[in-house]
Amino acid sequence: IIKLRNINDKNIFVDDIKMRGVPSSIPIAAAITATSLSQMLMFYNMKNNELVYGDTDSITTLKMINKFFISSTQIGKMKLEYKIREGIYISPKFYGLKCDNGDIIIKSKGIAKGKVKYDDLEKLYNGEDLIIKTTSFRKNFNEAKLTICETTYTIKANIRDIPENI
């Protein structure tokens, strides 16, 4: 832990700065996550509705789920966010969607928003590597410095056998 910081050319001890925040509890977070997963398993295993993608708090299925489970206001029910026309799922938290209303949604965890386009996901899906330049932050705890720099990432396409009927 860094004890001393240089703010506006004044040495200020961390202890002198009032720290704010919400105390967190790993056991409570684990319990919430486990409960969420047990609730999501019902949707993961629905008969006659193939699961395309699932995460902690979301699912993508081939068909619409029963309206009984959908509400944008009721706690414990699913919120219908998108009606999808087409989607490319590269890996968890890295995918693109073309919606019925014309919107294109890109999720690319770890890469700055707007750097990945739907065409890039198509190239990855078809076996081409993707090279992206993005801004990243480098931390140097010994010198209490944060450096902003341009970083080039190469995302390797994962070639695999994909069934023709999907």
Side-chain angles (χ1 to χ4, degrees):
I1 306 281
I2 300 169
K3 292 283 187 186
L4 182 65
R5 292 193 179 169
N6 189 325
I7 301 173
N8 296 330
D9 296 325
K10 296 178 184 173
N11 291 328
I12 298 176
F13 287 92
V14 173
D15 294 339
D16 294 337
I17 300 171
K18 186 174 183 180
M19 303 305 277
R20 295 177 191 248
V22 177
S24 62
S25 168
I26 292 172
I28 291 172
I32 291 169
T33 302
T35 303
S36 170
L37 178 58
S38 69
Q39 294 293 314
M40 293 299 291
L41 285 174
M42 174 179 61
F43 296 104
Y44 288 4
N45 298 313
M46 285 185 295
K47 287 184 179 180
N48 304 318
N49 197 354
E50 190 173 341
L51 178 74
V52 175
Y53 177 82
D55 203 341
T56 308
D57 61 353
S58 63
I59 58 169
T60 303
T61 57
L62 290 182
K63 296 183 236 168
M64 188 77 168
I65 64 172
N66 189 310
K67 292 184 181 193
F68 172 80
F69 298 110
I70 300 173
S71 173
S72 60
T73 58
Q74 213 172 342
I75 293 175
K77 295 211 174 184
M78 302 290 276
K79 178 182 171 188
L80 177 63
E81 294 208 20
Y82 312 113
K83 288 187 178 182
I84 303 166
R85 187 180 69 233
E86 178 182 308
I88 298 177
Y89 296 84
I90 302 299
S91 65
K93 302 182 190 304
F94 192 61
Y95 56 88
L97 310 172
K98 286 187 178 178
C99 301
D100 282 352
N101 65 4
D103 289 349
I104 295 178
I105 311 296
I106 305 290
K107 301 291 182 178
S108 54
K109 184 177 181 183
I111 300 171
K113 191 173 184 175
K115 294 287 184 176
V116 177
K117 306 290 183 217
Y118 196 85
D119 293 346
D120 296 330
L121 296 174
E122 287 177 328
K123 289 176 185 174
L124 275 170
Y125 183 80
N126 290 317
E128 295 179 45
D129 292 346
L130 180 61
I131 298 171
I132 295 176
K133 289 185 180 181
T134 189
T135 304
S136 63
F137 298 92
R138 305 285 166 127
K139 298 171 219 158
N140 183 332
F141 290 110
N142 292 333
E143 296 178 18
K145 286 185 180 179
L146 181 67
T147 307
I148 301 171
C149 57
E150 280 289 316
T151 305
T152 301
Y153 291 104
T154 301
I155 302 170
K156 296 281 191 184
N158 184 9
I159 306 298
R160 62 198 181 285
D161 292 329
I162 300 169
E164 291 294 321
N165 62 351
I166 291 184

